[in-house]
Amino acid sequence: MNISHVLLLMSASIAGSLLQLPVVGGGSQLGTIAVLTEVFDVEDELAASAGIMLWLVTFVAIVPIGFLLARREHVSLRKLSEEANPEAAGIV
């Protein structure tokens, strides 16, 4: 792939992430899959796996770093959850 193809694929992924589907998300994957299948004539299965892998690398890769930083700052996800929903925790 040359630089113009890479920029086209990145643009589709970014545009898809800006136009998230209601409730479930998936815009980034769908943008990537659409460009791979329609523009580059990639098989559907390969395009789907590439779209999901691109999403994993770009968006999910930061989650472990976020958990480490939250632990370093002594942020408890359990306490945040209880504070957000006191009825479920039996506080009220």
Side-chain angles (χ1 to χ4, degrees), residues 5-83:
H5 293 153
V6 171
L7 289 175
L8 176 64
L9 190 59
M10 283 178 42
S11 299
S13 177
I14 291 169
S17 66
L18 291 175
L19 302 170
Q20 289 292 320
L21 297 173
V23 182
V24 293
S28 176
Q29 295 94 329
L30 288 179
T32 302
I33 293 167
V35 167
L36 285 173
T37 56
E38 301 299 323
V39 177
F40 297 118
D41 293 327
V42 175
E43 296 176 13
D44 292 341
E45 296 83 8
L46 184 59
S49 62
I52 292 170
M53 185 58 72
L54 181 65
W55 173 75
L56 284 171
V57 168
T58 56
F59 292 100
V60 178
I62 197 66
V63 171
I65 296 169
F67 283 145
L68 289 173
L69 289 174
R71 182 173 171 90
R72 191 180 87 185
E73 296 292 325
H74 304 292
V75 174
S76 170
L77 297 178
R78 182 172 289 142
K79 287 182 183 177
L80 287 174
S81 160
E82 290 172 357
E83 288 175 5

